[in-house]
Amino acid sequence: MERVSNMVSERPLVIFSRSNCGICHSVKSLIGGFGVHPTVYELDEISRGQEIEQTLARRLGNNPAVPAIFINGELVGGANEIMSLHLRGMLRPMLIRAGALWV
């Protein structure tokens, strides 16, 4: 988990994804729709991506490992959590507080 912590600690918004994942694409499109440019790690395209994905799977429990979204270094969750935050009007304020989105 230390490697993941290092990857997310210096960025306001980090998404761990797979380049061929439709749900990941939807989450990235939703966030991009706010005008936010997250740091995205495509786990099928980086070294040790499979190891990182296994770490995320353990951390998320039974949920799929990707997408995994970190805001301000904290794991927010996967697609369900992001969509829920968006529908409740809470995602945009979180992104603003994290410094990922300027008003």
Side-chain angles (χ1 to χ4, degrees):
M1 194 61 197
E2 183 178 335
R3 179 175 170 90
V4 171
S5 295
N6 290 338
M7 294 171 84
V8 303
S9 65
E10 297 180 14
R11 306 277 188 220
L13 177 61
V14 175
I15 301 173
F16 290 94
S17 175
R18 289 180 82 51
S19 61
N20 60 353
C21 170
I23 299 295
C24 297
H25 176 75
S26 296
V27 167
K28 291 182 285 189
S29 293
L30 170 69
I31 290 172
F34 288 111
V36 174
H37 301 286
T39 299
V40 177
Y41 294 105
E42 300 290 357
L43 296 179
D44 55 327
E45 297 177 354
I46 64 172
S47 67
R48 299 181 71 186
Q50 186 174 9
E51 178 184 322
I52 294 167
E53 189 168 356
Q54 291 170 350
T55 299
L56 292 169
R58 284 192 300 274
R59 179 111 184 248
L60 290 168
N62 293 335
N63 294 328
V66 293
I69 299 93
F70 288 78
I71 298 176
N72 247 5
E74 297 295 321
L75 177 63
V76 174
N80 289 341
E81 290 80 11
I82 289 298
M83 295 299 182
S84 176
L85 287 168
H86 175 59
L87 292 173
R88 292 185 287 150
M90 298 172 64
L91 181 57
R92 184 172 165 41
M94 283 180 79
L95 296 172
I96 292 169
R97 282 193 306 275
L101 177 63
W102 294 274
V103 192

